[in-house]
Amino acid sequence: MSMAYEEYMRQMVQPMRQELTNAGFKELNTPEEVDAFMKDSKGTSLVVVNSVCGCAAGLARPAVTQSILNSEKKPDHLVTVFAGQDKDATAKMREYFGGIEPSSPSIALLKDGEVVHFIPRHDIEGGTMEGVMENLLSAFEANC
């Protein structure tokens, strides 16, 4: 790919990244960052596999950020990988999801490194932001 294309894509997705980082999420951009996080993460971790698609923009990211703001029980750690952008980091994170099919966007709640709740794209796309929020809030209540 050309350098111009790479730069264009970096600029294009920056607001999509910032929507989560502004809400307190840490970006994991490399496989090494993913491994280091997973090695040291204790407690609960919310992992968002971010994406450029409409269901990420209109449903997943807003539902995640609002759930974090509106829940008394919250995950201990908030991290994100960006599918299609940070491909190696995303692939590495998906290895930690066990046998769950790759899906983007998707949201995983981990407890001591093990997936305890997973919301794949097909449970986001075509739904409502409130429905995704309810799903997340009930997972926080049960696991955080």
Side-chain angles (χ1 to χ4, degrees), residues 40-79:
D40 295 333
S41 71
K42 300 290 182 233
T44 54
S45 302
L46 187 65
V47 179
V48 175
V49 178
N50 202 354
S51 175
V52 298
C53 70
C55 62
L59 297 169
R61 289 191 303 268
V64 165
T65 58
Q66 288 302 305
S67 295
I68 295 297
L69 288 173
N70 293 304
S71 180
E72 289 185 28
K73 291 188 173 185
K74 300 177 190 332
D76 300 312
H77 311 281
L78 306 172
V79 296

